[in-house]
Amino acid sequence: SLHPRVTSIIDHHSDAGQHLQASPRVIKTAGSCATLVWDDAMGPTIRRALAVAILVDTGMLRNADKTTDLDIEVFGRAVA
């Protein structure tokens, strides 16, 4: 049985009322579960992690050889 091993749920189907201890437990109506994963992935924790990764990879957005306009744009959205 997988029941004791379920630690988190992101699902676009009807809530069956199982695994109430799961965290996160995101169950919302959507055409695709990918929509919910995207929405959850863009939460504040992931945005901060992405912002840090951009800073590290681009030398704090100062490395002219690596930093692109896209890096700057996405960093701005990540910290907004």
Side-chain angles (χ1 to χ4, degrees):
S1 168
L2 291 178
H3 185 47
R5 296 182 185 163
V6 174
T7 60
S8 60
I9 297 172
I10 300 177
D11 193 2
H12 69 290
H13 295 103
S14 297
D15 190 345
Q18 298 180 13
H19 312 293
L20 301 178
Q21 80 292 349
S23 179
R25 187 176 186 277
V26 178
I27 301 175
K28 296 180 184 176
T29 300
S32 173
C33 190
T35 302
L36 302 180
V37 171
W38 176 263
D39 190 44
D40 187 63
M42 296 313 291
T45 301
I46 296 300
R47 285 196 306 267
R48 281 192 298 273
L50 292 173
V52 169
I54 291 168
L55 291 175
V56 168
D57 288 342
T58 63
M60 304 296 285
L61 298 173
R62 293 186 183 128
N63 184 331
D65 293 331
K66 292 186 79 175
T67 304
T68 68
D69 291 340
L70 182 59
D71 294 313
I72 295 167
E73 176 189 335
V74 171
F75 178 79
R77 285 188 287 174
V79 297

